[in-house]
Amino acid sequence: MNKSALLTATFLLVASSLANPTFAATAGTAPAQGISKERAVEMALQAHPGKVTKAYQDTRKGKKTWEVQINGSDGKKWEVHYEISSGALVSDEAR
């Protein structure tokens, strides 16, 4: 394959993946599993309005989780854990 044909094929692949995000997910890479940190923060703030002070990966009850710490509008400090793979609530504690 010459450089011109390779460049054209690459351009078409990139253009197709930008136009169709599901194509990009199936074009040789597995789609991302689980929930994002941003989604975990959204869910935690829905449960406990306030200000997020930290959000990071952690392990709780043997599961990989997103830990979200919130200074709640209710005056409490909340620590909420969502399982990364499923989005399930693992723990929800006020301190």
Side-chain angles (χ1 to χ4, degrees):
M1 186 178 261
N2 65 33
K3 286 184 182 180
S4 178
L6 182 59
L7 183 59
T8 301
T10 302
F11 173 79
L12 291 173
L13 178 63
V14 171
S16 295
S17 65
L18 291 175
N20 183 357
T22 57
F23 176 79
T26 59
T29 60
Q33 297 288 325
I35 64 167
S36 66
K37 177 168 69 171
E38 292 77 14
R39 180 65 185 130
V41 167
E42 289 173 7
M43 292 173 10
L45 285 172
Q46 286 175 351
H48 304 290
K51 181 180 179 201
V52 173
T53 58
K54 289 185 183 179
Y56 56 93
Q57 285 190 18
D58 196 11
T59 301
R60 176 71 86 186
K61 298 180 182 178
K63 298 177 181 183
K64 290 190 77 172
T65 64
W66 288 116
E67 177 177 326
V68 182
Q69 295 179 6
I70 299 171
N71 286 338
S73 300
D74 59 2
K76 297 178 182 176
K77 294 184 184 233
W78 291 94
E79 189 173 287
V80 186
H81 289 83
Y82 294 100
E83 186 174 14
I84 293 173
S85 64
S86 68
L89 179 66
V90 175
S91 69
D92 185 4
E93 302 169 357
R95 296 188 279 140

